[in-house]
Amino acid sequence: MDVWAGTPYPLGATYDGNGTNFAVFSEAATAVHLCLFDEAGTEYRIPLEAVDAFVCIAIYRM
């Protein structure tokens, strides 16, 4: 699993053919985590640590 800083636009989850960009807006959040689940139900928490104009961002590639 690879995680990089993403782009703040568009908001939400956007697949680009190589990975998925996640962008979540919040003026007040102190932390944002992306929670992903595999087929077995195992949870993976990915902190969205990069912030651009109140948008927490990450690109997730498997």
Side-chain angles (χ1 to χ4, degrees):
M1 167 182 1
D2 295 320
V3 179
W4 293 285
T7 59
Y9 180 81
L11 292 177
T14 305
Y15 181 67
D16 68 3
N18 293 316
T20 303
N21 184 75
F22 293 93
V24 179
F25 176 84
S26 177
E27 284 189 50
T30 57
V32 174
H33 287 84
L34 173 66
C35 297
L36 300 175
F37 297 86
D38 65 14
E39 297 84 17
T42 303
E43 179 182 8
Y44 300 93
R45 288 180 178 247
I46 301 167
L48 302 184
E49 296 173 337
V51 179
D52 185 351
F54 299 115
V55 179
C56 303
I57 51 180
I59 293 178
Y60 171 77
R61 291 193 178 117
M62 205 144 171

